[in-house]
Amino acid sequence: MNDSNFPLCSLLTYSKKLHLSTLGSPEATTTIELVQMDYTATQSGFRQRKLQPNMRQRNSSMDGSEGSQLFEDTSRAAPGTQAGYSSNQQAGPQAAGFPGQSILSDPMSNLAMAYGSSLASQGREMVDKNLDRFLPISKLKYYFAVDTVYVGKKLGLLVFPYMHENWEVSYQQDTPVAPRFDVNAPDLYIPSMSFITYVLVAGLALGTQNKFSPELLGVQASSALVWLIMEVLAVLLSLYLVTVNTDLTTIDLLAFSGYKYVGMIIGVVAGLMFGRPAYYLSLLWCCAAIFVFMIRTLRLKLLSEAAAEGRLVRGTRNQLRMYLTMSIAAAQPIFMYWLTYHLVR
């Protein structure tokens, strides 16, 4: 093919351009690319080459007004245009802002947030104060400050309290001394260890009856714990109703209520070794001992000073306190029998 065909191809392409422009859409001319078919006599065949004047025409048309184009060719956008779009996209949220900025910049919102934080801090302080009142966790170290001598004396006092004379707790600068220095001070070591020992002895007793199972042992331990908690809650409610001003804390009541497990262990072990009569005799002795121990300990805490010293004090409130002390002491033998009678056959 000779070179004379090149003007004919250009003329045909240009006639297409004129034909499209006659449709009343001048914008359509910008989307048409004049293509010159360069037929060169090479061995690789024909090549297609775009005319450079047309590219300049497209660039000039893109620099014009945006309304002169039907469609925007984003695939051939210049690198500067893409960079500008990304920069605008990044700066858009910062310039437009978000609703939280207007809320945080509002003085009324800041005042409300400060007021809410102050209320939260006051509520936390109130909860800590009430929790320390009913369950002083920070003072638990005091109730475990024991030694071997104290444990031996305290166990002897729980089993044989009749000869003990001084039941007052010793103080040092308005602070009670540690249990290892005063046998009258309440502790949590003996109640906790006796509770665990009671559960183990109960498992042994159930094993001698061919009734042992982990589930039954768990029921035995949970029932004993539930009864202990119910007892302490009942005493706290009674103190609240009687309006007794006392320095007894919840841990003190928990310690005094847990001392009965010592007599329960003695009764069950005696029943397992010597039979049911030994169980009743040993349990009766331990019930009487815990009753005396509770009366002589709690009267210094619940009764008035004159009544605690043994003088007769008349008054409705003092009688209520005396009845409350007797009730707490009388409840100990009942729980001791209720939690152990089924363990000895």
Side-chain angles (χ1 to χ4, degrees):
M1 185 178 293
N2 52 13
D3 295 338
S4 62
N5 291 331
F6 173 75
L8 179 60
C9 294
S10 301
L11 181 61
L12 290 175
T13 309
Y14 187 73
S15 64
K16 290 182 181 180
K17 172 184 175 183
L18 294 178
H19 178 67
L20 290 175
S21 63
T22 57
L23 295 179
S25 177
E27 293 81 357
T29 60
T30 60
T31 61
I32 303 300
E33 294 183 358
L34 296 180
V35 179
Q36 173 182 330
M37 303 300 294
D38 186 9
Y39 299 98
T40 58
T42 60
Q43 294 179 359
S44 60
F46 302 107
R47 290 186 303 174
Q48 182 178 357
R49 182 171 57 88
K50 296 181 182 180
L51 291 178
Q52 294 300 327
N54 240 351
M55 289 297 295
R56 288 194 296 270
Q57 183 179 1
R58 286 181 54 85
N59 293 334
S60 63
S61 63
M62 291 176 61
D63 294 337
S65 60
E66 296 179 358
S68 63
Q69 296 183 6
L70 287 178
F71 304 100
E72 182 180 359
D73 190 3
T74 58
S75 61
R76 297 184 180 181
T81 307
Q82 296 179 357
Y85 174 76
S86 61
S87 62
N88 293 333
Q89 185 178 7
Q90 293 177 359
Q94 297 178 358
F98 57 93
Q101 286 183 346
S102 60
I103 295 176
L104 294 177
S105 61
D106 190 3
M108 294 300 296
S109 301
N110 296 332
L111 181 61
M113 292 177 61
Y115 183 69
S117 62
S118 64
L119 284 181
S121 61
Q122 291 178 3
R124 183 168 57 253
E125 292 177 359
M126 186 178 298
V127 169
D128 294 339
K129 184 185 298 182
N130 292 331
L131 183 62
D132 188 71
R133 175 185 176 187
F134 293 102
L135 190 62
I137 301 177
S138 59
K139 297 181 180 179
L140 286 177
K141 185 177 179 181
Y142 164 82
Y143 292 93
F144 286 94
V146 299
D147 54 7
T148 307
V149 177
Y150 168 82
V151 173
K153 291 182 179 180
K154 194 73 172 187
L155 292 176
L157 185 62
L158 291 173
V159 177
F160 196 81
Y162 308 105
M163 302 301 295
H164 191 68
E165 296 181 355
N166 185 16
W167 292 87
E168 295 182 357
V169 178
S170 302
Y171 284 83
Q172 184 179 5
Q173 297 179 356
D174 297 333
T175 303
V177 298
R180 63 175 175 267
F181 300 118
D182 186 11
V183 71
N184 296 323
D187 70 286
L188 284 179
Y189 177 79
I190 293 178
S192 59
M193 292 297 104
S194 59
F195 178 81
I196 298 174
T197 307
Y198 161 74
V199 175
L200 297 177
V201 172
L204 178 62
L206 293 175
T208 57
Q209 302 174 12
N210 296 326
K211 296 181 180 179
F212 176 80
S213 65
E215 294 79 9
L216 191 58
L217 185 63
V219 170
Q220 187 73 25
S222 59
S223 61
L225 183 61
V226 167
W227 280 113
L228 179 63
I229 295 175
M230 291 179 62
E231 179 186 356
V232 173
L233 293 178
V235 174
L236 288 174
L237 180 61
S238 301
L239 293 176
Y240 175 76
L241 295 177
V242 180
T243 63
V244 178
N245 295 325
T246 178
D247 57 350
L248 280 175
T249 62
T250 306
I251 299 183
D252 292 337
L253 295 176
L254 188 64
F256 289 135
S257 300
Y259 285 139
K260 61 176 174 287
Y261 291 107
V262 176
M264 294 165 57
I265 295 170
I266 295 175
V268 174
V269 171
L272 292 177
M273 295 178 63
F274 304 105
R276 199 169 185 84
Y279 161 75
Y280 283 114
L281 291 176
S282 59
L283 186 64
L284 180 62
W285 176 272
C286 293
C287 288
I290 197 65
F291 180 81
V292 173
F293 174 82
M294 295 294 287
I295 288 292
R296 294 186 177 180
T297 302
L298 293 179
R299 71 174 184 176
L300 300 175
K301 302 290 186 178
L302 302 180
L303 302 180
S304 60
E305 295 180 358
E309 293 175 358
R311 297 196 301 267
L312 181 61
V313 177
R314 298 184 181 275
T316 304
R317 180 170 297 182
N318 191 72
Q319 290 180 357
L320 290 176
R321 293 179 180 181
M322 183 177 61
Y323 293 151
L324 179 59
T325 304
M326 296 290 292
S327 300
I328 296 173
Q332 306 305 311
I334 297 175
F335 285 112
M336 292 172 67
Y337 177 75
W338 176 259
L339 295 174
T340 56
Y341 79 96
H342 61 284
L343 298 177
V344 180
R345 299 295 182 186

